[in-house]
Amino acid sequence: MNKNIFSYSVKWFLIVILVSIFLWAFLFDAISRPKDTETVSLFLTAEASDSTKLRERLTLDGVTSSITTAAESSTYYSVQFTTTALISSDLIVMNTEKMPETHAEMQFAPLTNDLLEKYGIDATDFKFVTSEEIPYAIVVFDKEHDINLFDGLARFDEAKTYCIAVNVTRPNAAPFSTANKTTDNTFVALTKLLSK
Amino acid sequence: MKRLFEQSEVTAYRKLQRKYIIVWITSCTVALALLIVAVVLWKQLGRVAAQTIATICTAVIGCVSVYLPQVMALNRKKIDFVQKMLLKECKTVHLNNLSVAKETTTYDGLQFYEVLASEDDGEHMYYLFPQKHLEENTTKLYIVEKYICGSEAENNE
C-alpha cells in the first residue's frame, strides 16, 4: 500500500464514512416512517380506556394503530377537540352533542346502509346520530338506553352519550376521504371495533 | 551498458492496471447490489440491519473510489515513465564518484532515490527509480532528462 496515497486518502475515508452514516440515517428514517395510510388512529373521549385491548381490536394486517384517550373538559373541547381529534385521527369517539347540526359531511363520512352492509355491519344493531337526517355516527355509549359497545374497553361519563364517527379529512376513509391516495382502512377498523 | 528498464515491466504495470480496474468494478458492483438488496428488503432484514449494510456498502464504494483511482493514476505514471526510459535516447555521463540516498524522495509524483554524481565539471543530481540498483564501481550513467536509465561499471567494460 502506497504510504502517500494512503495518508492522503485517510481524511477522505473518514468523510465518506461519516457522510454515508448521515445519509442512510436520514433516508432510512424517511422510508421506515409509517405512511398516513399505514396507521389507523382512534381519538377516544372517555374517562379511562384499556388501550391494549383497543389496539387488539383495531389492528389490521400491515397497519399499525394509535390510540389517544382524553377525558372531556371545557378546556379540552374548546381547544384540543378541533385540533387533535378532528384533524389527526381516523376514528373519533366524541360526545354526541358535538355532532355538527349542518354540513357534517365536511368532517364525517355518512354511514349509510349500503356502506355498512359492504363492511358487514348490520345497521339494525346500532343507534345512529344524524345530521340533516343523514347518519354520521354510531352511538357507542348511552346509559339510558343500555348501550355500551366499548364494554371492557373504555369507561365513559354516565351522564352523557358518546358516538363514533369516521373522519373524512384523513387518508383512510375512501371513498369519502378528502386526502390523496386513500384506503378504506378506517371502515375496516370500525367493523373490527364494533364486532363482538 | 546495463539497461535498468525492460519492456516486460510496462507489461507488468499494465496487467496491474487491469487488476485495479477489475477490483474497483467488482467491489463497487457487489457493494451496490448488497446496498440495493438492503434498501429493498429493509422490512424483512429489519431497519437496523438494513441501514448498517447500506452504510457499510456506501462507505466501501466511496473509499474504494477514493483510493483506487489514486493508485491507478500512480501506476499510469509509472507506465509512462518506464516507457519514456525505454524510448528516449540516453545521454552518457562519466562519473568520478556517486552516492545514492537511502530514503526515497517524491519528484513529479513518483518516488526516486536521489543520486549525487561527481563529474569532471562538478556535482550533479540524478534520480534512480526504486527497485533499481547501481553498482558501487559505476563509471558511466545513461540519463534521460534527470532520470537514470542505464549504467556501466568498471568490471563490465
Side-chain angles (χ1 to χ4, degrees):
Chain A
M1 191 176 280
N2 187 293
K3 213 189 268 182
N4 284 344
I5 291 176
F6 184 72
S7 59
Y8 173 81
S9 299
V10 164
K11 70 171 179 183
W12 284 106
F13 286 176
L14 293 174
I15 290 169
V16 163
I17 289 162
L18 282 175
V19 166
S20 64
I21 288 169
F22 283 111
L23 169 84
W24 288 109
F26 280 114
L27 282 177
F28 268 88
D29 186 52
I31 61 177
S32 62
R33 191 180 296 149
K35 296 176 184 69
D36 277 355
T37 51
E38 290 172 348
T39 305
V40 168
S41 49
L42 167 70
F43 188 91
L44 183 63
T45 309
E47 292 183 339
S49 68
D50 186 336
S51 55
T52 310
K53 281 187 185 171
L54 277 169
R55 192 163 280 129
E56 276 173 22
R57 284 271 195 102
L58 272 176
T59 303
L60 313 174
D61 281 344
V63 179
T64 56
S65 56
S66 97
I67 294 158
T68 309
T69 305
E72 196 175 350
S73 70
S74 55
T75 315
Y76 143 62
Y77 265 104
S78 61
V79 182
Q80 288 192 323
F81 187 75
T82 51
T83 54
T84 310
L86 290 184
I87 292 171
S88 65
S89 295
D90 294 301
L91 285 166
I92 299 160
V93 174
M94 60 185 176
N95 189 328
T96 304
E97 290 171 10
K98 300 300 172 188
M99 174 58 68
E101 286 179 7
T102 57
H103 300 298
E105 75 281 358
M106 292 174 74
Q107 192 65 58
F108 302 115
L111 303 177
T112 59
N113 282 345
D114 291 346
L115 181 83
L116 294 176
E117 258 178 42
K118 183 181 167 188
Y119 292 97
I121 298 172
D122 186 353
T124 57
D125 291 346
F126 302 102
K127 185 181 171 189
F128 292 89
V129 181
T130 59
S131 174
E132 296 177 288
E133 295 181 0
I134 298 169
Y136 283 100
I138 295 169
V139 175
V140 292
F141 182 81
D142 184 347
K143 175 88 173 162
E144 194 183 327
H145 294 94
D146 200 24
I147 297 171
N148 189 0
L149 303 182
F150 278 37
D151 192 17
L153 300 174
R155 191 180 74 240
F156 297 97
D157 182 346
E158 294 187 352
K160 295 164 184 166
T161 61
Y162 292 88
C163 61
I164 188 165
V166 174
N167 186 356
V168 293
T169 64
R170 294 272 303 157
N172 282 321
F176 305 102
S177 174
T178 52
N180 291 326
K181 293 181 183 173
T182 58
T183 72
D184 64 350
N185 287 339
T186 308
F187 292 109
V188 180
L190 178 67
T191 309
K192 282 194 75 181
L193 199 58
L194 297 180
S195 64
K196 289 183 180 172
Chain B
M1 175 192 173
K2 180 191 167 191
R3 282 199 162 272
L4 293 181
F5 297 94
E6 290 172 10
Q7 187 61 40
S8 60
E9 284 178 77
V10 176
T11 314
Y13 281 127
R14 283 203 171 123
K15 273 186 183 169
L16 198 61
Q17 195 78 343
R18 271 198 293 274
K19 212 163 129 185
Y20 286 139
I21 293 171
I22 289 166
V23 169
W24 191 10
I25 291 171
T26 309
S27 51
C28 283
T29 308
V30 170
L32 192 66
L34 274 174
L35 191 153
I36 291 166
V37 168
V39 173
V40 172
L41 301 179
W42 76 268
K43 278 186 182 171
Q44 287 85 344
L45 294 168
R47 181 189 156 158
V48 174
Q51 190 176 327
T52 307
I53 293 168
T55 304
I56 292 169
C57 289
T58 309
V60 167
I61 294 169
C63 291
V64 165
S65 301
V66 166
Y67 184 70
L68 280 181
Q70 291 177 73
V71 175
M72 284 161 66
L74 180 69
N75 204 47
R76 182 76 247 169
K77 273 193 167 209
K78 285 180 183 171
I79 294 171
D80 292 343
F81 175 78
V82 175
Q83 262 184 337
K84 189 164 79 178
M85 293 298 107
L86 290 169
L87 296 175
K88 281 207 172 182
E89 203 175 322
C90 303
K91 192 177 90 181
T92 311
V93 172
H94 292 272
L95 301 176
N96 297 325
N97 196 7
L98 69 82
S99 66
V100 182
K102 286 184 178 171
E103 296 294 324
T104 56
T105 182
T106 306
Y107 185 78
D108 199 22
L110 291 174
Q111 287 185 315
F112 294 97
Y113 289 106
E114 285 179 342
V115 176
L116 194 62
S118 171
E119 297 168 35
D120 292 340
D121 61 342
E123 287 188 329
H124 294 270
M125 180 77 80
Y126 300 111
Y127 295 97
L128 177 67
F129 198 67
Q131 291 151 8
K132 306 294 175 191
H133 301 285
L134 293 177
E135 290 173 32
E136 278 182 17
N137 51 355
T138 301
T139 52
K140 274 185 196 171
L141 287 179
Y142 294 93
I143 306 293
V144 172
E145 294 168 7
K146 282 192 158 197
Y147 307 103
I148 301 166
C149 66
S151 66
E152 213 166 283
E154 229 170 28
N155 57 351
N156 289 345
E157 282 178 353

